[in-house]
Amino acid sequence: MLIRTNDTVKVLIGDDEGTRGRVLSVDRAAGKVIVEGVNRVYKHVRRSQRNPQGGRLSKEMPIFASNVLVVCEKCQAPARMGVRFLDDGTKERYCKKCGAGNGSLGPPKARRVKA
Ligand SMILES: [Zn+2]
């Protein structure tokens, strides 16, 4: 899964189809992401010490990562991402649409350097 926290993503499916939002958290084990303002639900909360009023709390619920596309930093279009190694051995995520790099995925490693 090539989605990271603070990425901008576009939602492809569901009630929030077409909206763009920032990724708040990524659950790699479940393959889900939480996107700002997407899949909001009202949670009814009982009165408690922390929340003396109780009532309805609006919060985002996780959606499947396969239902969003990362928006490329360079071309600003939703695009599929690939992984490649740079000449210095850095692992990088790149946009398959325009080819621009979209953030490092790992430090340079000598064994990845092409001879
Ligand atoms: Zn791009």
CSV table of all heavy atoms in Angstrom, one decimal, residues 52-90:
chain,number,residue,atom,x,y,z
A,52,PRO,N,-19.0,15.4,29.6
A,52,PRO,CA,-20.1,15.5,30.5
A,52,PRO,C,-21.4,15.8,29.8
A,52,PRO,O,-22.5,15.5,30.4
A,52,PRO,CB,-19.7,16.7,31.4
A,52,PRO,CG,-18.7,17.4,30.7
A,52,PRO,CD,-18.0,16.5,29.8
A,53,GLN,N,-21.4,16.3,28.6
A,53,GLN,CA,-22.6,16.6,27.9
A,53,GLN,C,-23.2,15.4,27.2
A,53,GLN,O,-24.4,15.2,27.1
A,53,GLN,CB,-22.3,17.7,26.8
A,53,GLN,CG,-22.6,19.1,27.4
A,53,GLN,CD,-24.0,19.4,27.6
A,53,GLN,OE1,-24.8,19.5,26.6
A,53,GLN,NE2,-24.4,19.6,28.8
A,54,GLY,N,-22.3,14.5,26.7
A,54,GLY,CA,-22.8,13.4,25.9
A,54,GLY,C,-23.2,13.9,24.6
A,54,GLY,O,-22.8,15.0,24.2
A,55,GLY,N,-24.0,13.2,23.9
A,55,GLY,CA,-24.6,13.7,22.6
A,55,GLY,C,-24.0,13.0,21.4
A,55,GLY,O,-23.5,11.9,21.5
A,56,ARG,N,-24.0,13.7,20.3
A,56,ARG,CA,-23.6,13.1,19.0
A,56,ARG,C,-22.2,13.7,18.6
A,56,ARG,O,-22.0,14.9,18.7
A,56,ARG,CB,-24.5,13.5,17.9
A,56,ARG,CG,-25.9,12.9,18.2
A,56,ARG,CD,-26.7,12.8,16.9
A,56,ARG,NE,-26.8,14.1,16.2
A,56,ARG,CZ,-27.1,14.2,14.9
A,56,ARG,NH1,-27.5,13.1,14.3
A,56,ARG,NH2,-27.2,15.3,14.3
A,57,LEU,N,-21.3,12.8,18.3
A,57,LEU,CA,-19.9,13.2,18.0
A,57,LEU,C,-19.7,12.8,16.5
A,57,LEU,O,-19.9,11.6,16.1
A,57,LEU,CB,-19.0,12.4,18.9
A,57,LEU,CG,-17.5,12.8,18.8
A,57,LEU,CD1,-17.2,14.1,19.5
A,57,LEU,CD2,-16.7,11.6,19.4
A,58,SER,N,-19.3,13.7,15.7
A,58,SER,CA,-19.0,13.4,14.3
A,58,SER,C,-17.6,13.0,14.1
A,58,SER,O,-16.7,13.7,14.5
A,58,SER,CB,-19.3,14.6,13.4
A,58,SER,OG,-19.1,14.3,12.1
A,59,LYS,N,-17.3,11.8,13.5
A,59,LYS,CA,-16.0,11.4,13.3
A,59,LYS,C,-15.8,10.6,12.0
A,59,LYS,O,-16.8,10.1,11.5
A,59,LYS,CB,-15.4,10.6,14.5
A,59,LYS,CG,-16.1,9.3,14.7
A,59,LYS,CD,-15.5,8.5,15.8
A,59,LYS,CE,-14.2,7.9,15.4
A,59,LYS,NZ,-13.7,6.9,16.4
A,60,GLU,N,-14.6,10.6,11.5
A,60,GLU,CA,-14.4,9.8,10.2
A,60,GLU,C,-14.1,8.4,10.6
A,60,GLU,O,-13.5,8.0,11.6
A,60,GLU,CB,-13.1,10.4,9.5
A,60,GLU,CG,-13.3,11.7,8.9
A,60,GLU,CD,-12.8,12.9,9.8
A,60,GLU,OE1,-12.5,12.6,10.9
A,60,GLU,OE2,-12.8,14.0,9.3
A,61,MET,N,-14.6,7.5,9.7
A,61,MET,CA,-14.4,6.1,9.9
A,61,MET,C,-13.4,5.6,8.7
A,61,MET,O,-13.4,6.2,7.7
A,61,MET,CB,-15.7,5.3,9.8
A,61,MET,CG,-16.6,5.6,11.0
A,61,MET,SD,-15.9,5.2,12.6
A,61,MET,CE,-16.2,3.4,12.7
A,62,PRO,N,-12.7,4.5,9.0
A,62,PRO,CA,-11.8,4.1,7.9
A,62,PRO,C,-12.5,3.6,6.7
A,62,PRO,O,-13.6,3.0,6.7
A,62,PRO,CB,-11.0,2.9,8.6
A,62,PRO,CG,-11.4,3.0,10.0
A,62,PRO,CD,-12.7,3.7,10.2
A,63,ILE,N,-11.8,3.8,5.5
A,63,ILE,CA,-12.3,3.2,4.3
A,63,ILE,C,-11.2,2.4,3.6
A,63,ILE,O,-10.0,2.6,4.0
A,63,ILE,CB,-12.8,4.3,3.3
A,63,ILE,CG1,-11.7,5.3,2.9
A,63,ILE,CG2,-14.0,5.0,3.8
A,63,ILE,CD1,-12.1,6.3,1.9
A,64,PHE,N,-11.5,1.5,2.8
A,64,PHE,CA,-10.5,0.6,2.1
A,64,PHE,C,-9.6,1.5,1.3
A,64,PHE,O,-10.0,2.3,0.5
A,64,PHE,CB,-11.1,-0.5,1.3
A,64,PHE,CG,-11.5,-1.7,2.2
A,64,PHE,CD1,-12.8,-2.0,2.4
A,64,PHE,CD2,-10.5,-2.4,2.8
A,64,PHE,CE1,-13.2,-3.0,3.2
A,64,PHE,CE2,-10.9,-3.5,3.6
A,64,PHE,CZ,-12.2,-3.8,3.8
A,65,ALA,N,-8.3,1.2,1.4
A,65,ALA,CA,-7.3,2.0,0.6
A,65,ALA,C,-7.5,1.8,-0.9
A,65,ALA,O,-7.1,2.7,-1.7
A,65,ALA,CB,-5.9,1.5,1.0
A,66,SER,N,-8.1,0.7,-1.3
A,66,SER,CA,-8.2,0.4,-2.7
A,66,SER,C,-9.3,1.4,-3.3
A,66,SER,O,-9.4,1.5,-4.5
A,66,SER,CB,-8.6,-1.0,-3.0
A,66,SER,OG,-9.8,-1.3,-2.3
A,67,ASN,N,-10.0,2.0,-2.5
A,67,ASN,CA,-11.1,2.9,-2.9
A,67,ASN,C,-10.6,4.4,-3.1
A,67,ASN,O,-11.4,5.3,-3.3
A,67,ASN,CB,-12.3,2.9,-2.0
A,67,ASN,CG,-13.0,1.5,-2.1
A,67,ASN,OD1,-12.8,0.8,-3.1
A,67,ASN,ND2,-13.7,1.2,-1.1
A,68,VAL,N,-9.3,4.6,-2.9
A,68,VAL,CA,-8.8,6.0,-3.0
A,68,VAL,C,-7.6,5.9,-3.9
A,68,VAL,O,-6.9,4.9,-4.1
A,68,VAL,CB,-8.4,6.6,-1.7
A,68,VAL,CG1,-9.6,6.7,-0.8
A,68,VAL,CG2,-7.3,5.9,-1.0
A,69,LEU,N,-7.3,7.0,-4.5
A,69,LEU,CA,-6.1,7.2,-5.3
A,69,LEU,C,-5.3,8.4,-4.8
A,69,LEU,O,-5.8,9.4,-4.4
A,69,LEU,CB,-6.4,7.5,-6.8
A,69,LEU,CG,-6.6,6.3,-7.8
A,69,LEU,CD1,-6.9,6.9,-9.2
A,69,LEU,CD2,-5.4,5.4,-7.8
A,70,VAL,N,-4.0,8.2,-4.7
A,70,VAL,CA,-3.1,9.3,-4.3
A,70,VAL,C,-3.1,10.3,-5.3
A,70,VAL,O,-3.0,10.1,-6.5
A,70,VAL,CB,-1.7,8.7,-4.0
A,70,VAL,CG1,-0.8,9.9,-3.6
A,70,VAL,CG2,-1.7,7.7,-2.9
A,71,VAL,N,-3.2,11.6,-4.9
A,71,VAL,CA,-3.1,12.7,-5.8
A,71,VAL,C,-1.6,13.1,-6.0
A,71,VAL,O,-1.0,13.4,-5.0
A,71,VAL,CB,-3.9,13.9,-5.4
A,71,VAL,CG1,-3.7,15.1,-6.3
A,71,VAL,CG2,-5.4,13.6,-5.3
A,72,CYS,N,-1.1,13.1,-7.2
A,72,CYS,CA,0.3,13.4,-7.4
A,72,CYS,C,0.7,14.8,-7.0
A,72,CYS,O,-0.1,15.7,-7.3
A,72,CYS,CB,0.6,13.1,-8.9
A,72,CYS,SG,2.2,13.7,-9.4
A,73,GLU,N,1.8,15.0,-6.4
A,73,GLU,CA,2.2,16.3,-5.9
A,73,GLU,C,2.6,17.2,-7.1
A,73,GLU,O,2.4,18.4,-7.1
A,73,GLU,CB,3.5,16.2,-5.0
A,73,GLU,CG,3.2,15.5,-3.7
A,73,GLU,CD,4.5,15.1,-3.0
A,73,GLU,OE1,5.6,15.4,-3.5
A,73,GLU,OE2,4.4,14.4,-2.0
A,74,LYS,N,3.0,16.6,-8.2
A,74,LYS,CA,3.5,17.3,-9.3
A,74,LYS,C,2.3,17.7,-10.3
A,74,LYS,O,2.1,18.8,-10.6
A,74,LYS,CB,4.5,16.5,-10.1
A,74,LYS,CG,5.2,17.1,-11.3
A,74,LYS,CD,6.3,18.0,-10.9
A,74,LYS,CE,7.0,18.6,-12.1
A,74,LYS,NZ,7.8,17.6,-12.9
A,75,CYS,N,1.6,16.7,-10.8
A,75,CYS,CA,0.6,17.0,-11.8
A,75,CYS,C,-0.8,17.2,-11.2
A,75,CYS,O,-1.7,17.5,-11.9
A,75,CYS,CB,0.6,15.9,-12.9
A,75,CYS,SG,0.2,14.2,-12.3
A,76,GLN,N,-0.9,17.0,-9.9
A,76,GLN,CA,-2.1,17.3,-9.2
A,76,GLN,C,-3.3,16.4,-9.6
A,76,GLN,O,-4.5,16.7,-9.4
A,76,GLN,CB,-2.5,18.8,-9.3
A,76,GLN,CG,-1.6,19.7,-8.6
A,76,GLN,CD,-1.6,19.5,-7.1
A,76,GLN,OE1,-2.6,19.4,-6.4
A,76,GLN,NE2,-0.3,19.4,-6.5
A,77,ALA,N,-3.0,15.3,-10.3
A,77,ALA,CA,-4.0,14.4,-10.8
A,77,ALA,C,-4.0,13.1,-9.9
A,77,ALA,O,-2.9,12.7,-9.5
A,77,ALA,CB,-3.8,14.0,-12.3
A,78,PRO,N,-5.2,12.5,-9.7
A,78,PRO,CA,-5.2,11.2,-9.0
A,78,PRO,C,-4.5,10.2,-9.9
A,78,PRO,O,-4.8,10.1,-11.1
A,78,PRO,CB,-6.7,10.9,-8.9
A,78,PRO,CG,-7.4,12.0,-9.5
A,78,PRO,CD,-6.5,13.0,-10.1
A,79,ALA,N,-3.5,9.5,-9.4
A,79,ALA,CA,-2.8,8.6,-10.2
A,79,ALA,C,-2.3,7.4,-9.4
A,79,ALA,O,-2.3,7.4,-8.2
A,79,ALA,CB,-1.5,9.3,-10.8
A,80,ARG,N,-2.1,6.3,-10.1
A,80,ARG,CA,-1.5,5.1,-9.5
A,80,ARG,C,-0.1,5.4,-9.2
A,80,ARG,O,0.6,6.1,-10.0
A,80,ARG,CB,-1.7,3.9,-10.3
A,80,ARG,CG,-3.2,3.5,-10.4
A,80,ARG,CD,-3.5,2.6,-11.5
A,80,ARG,NE,-3.1,1.2,-11.2
A,80,ARG,CZ,-3.3,0.2,-12.0
A,80,ARG,NH1,-3.8,0.4,-13.2
A,80,ARG,NH2,-2.9,-1.0,-11.6
A,81,MET,N,0.4,4.8,-8.1
A,81,MET,CA,1.8,5.0,-7.7
A,81,MET,C,2.6,3.7,-7.9
A,81,MET,O,2.1,2.6,-7.8
A,81,MET,CB,1.9,5.4,-6.3
A,81,MET,CG,1.2,6.8,-6.0
A,81,MET,SD,2.3,8.1,-6.6
A,81,MET,CE,1.0,9.4,-6.8
A,82,GLY,N,3.9,3.9,-8.3
A,82,GLY,CA,4.8,2.8,-8.4
A,82,GLY,C,6.0,3.0,-7.5
A,82,GLY,O,6.1,4.1,-6.9
A,83,VAL,N,6.8,2.0,-7.5
A,83,VAL,CA,8.0,2.1,-6.7
A,83,VAL,C,9.3,1.9,-7.6
A,83,VAL,O,9.3,1.1,-8.5
A,83,VAL,CB,8.1,1.0,-5.6
A,83,VAL,CG1,9.4,1.0,-4.9
A,83,VAL,CG2,6.9,1.3,-4.6
A,84,ARG,N,10.3,2.7,-7.4
A,84,ARG,CA,11.5,2.6,-8.1
A,84,ARG,C,12.7,3.0,-7.2
A,84,ARG,O,12.5,3.6,-6.2
A,84,ARG,CB,11.5,3.5,-9.4
A,84,ARG,CG,11.5,4.9,-9.1
A,84,ARG,CD,11.3,5.8,-10.3
A,84,ARG,NE,11.2,7.2,-10.0
A,84,ARG,CZ,10.7,8.1,-10.9
A,84,ARG,NH1,10.4,7.7,-12.1
A,84,ARG,NH2,10.6,9.3,-10.5
A,85,PHE,N,13.9,2.5,-7.7
A,85,PHE,CA,15.1,2.9,-7.0
A,85,PHE,C,15.9,3.9,-7.8
A,85,PHE,O,16.0,3.8,-9.0
A,85,PHE,CB,16.0,1.6,-6.8
A,85,PHE,CG,15.3,0.6,-5.9
A,85,PHE,CD1,14.7,-0.5,-6.4
A,85,PHE,CD2,15.2,0.9,-4.5
A,85,PHE,CE1,14.1,-1.4,-5.5
A,85,PHE,CE2,14.6,0.0,-3.7
A,85,PHE,CZ,14.1,-1.2,-4.2
A,86,LEU,N,16.3,4.9,-7.1
A,86,LEU,CA,17.1,6.0,-7.8
A,86,LEU,C,18.5,5.5,-7.9
A,86,LEU,O,18.9,4.5,-7.3
A,86,LEU,CB,17.0,7.3,-7.0
A,86,LEU,CG,15.6,7.9,-6.8
A,86,LEU,CD1,15.7,9.2,-6.1
A,86,LEU,CD2,14.9,8.0,-8.1
A,87,ASP,N,19.3,6.3,-8.7
A,87,ASP,CA,20.7,5.9,-8.9
A,87,ASP,C,21.5,5.7,-7.6
A,87,ASP,O,22.5,4.9,-7.5
A,87,ASP,CB,21.4,6.9,-9.8
A,87,ASP,CG,20.9,6.7,-11.3
A,87,ASP,OD1,20.3,5.7,-11.6
A,87,ASP,OD2,21.0,7.7,-12.0
A,88,ASP,N,21.2,6.6,-6.6
A,88,ASP,CA,21.9,6.5,-5.3
A,88,ASP,C,21.4,5.4,-4.4
A,88,ASP,O,21.8,5.3,-3.3
A,88,ASP,CB,22.0,7.8,-4.6
A,88,ASP,CG,20.6,8.2,-4.1
A,88,ASP,OD1,19.6,7.5,-4.5
A,88,ASP,OD2,20.5,9.2,-3.4
A,89,GLY,N,20.4,4.6,-4.9
A,89,GLY,CA,19.9,3.5,-4.0
A,89,GLY,C,18.7,3.9,-3.2
A,89,GLY,O,18.2,3.1,-2.4
A,90,THR,N,18.2,5.2,-3.3
A,90,THR,CA,17.0,5.6,-2.6
A,90,THR,C,15.8,4.9,-3.2
A,90,THR,O,15.6,4.9,-4.4
A,90,THR,CB,16.9,7.1,-2.7
A,90,THR,OG1,18.1,7.7,-2.3
A,90,THR,CG2,15.7,7.6,-1.8
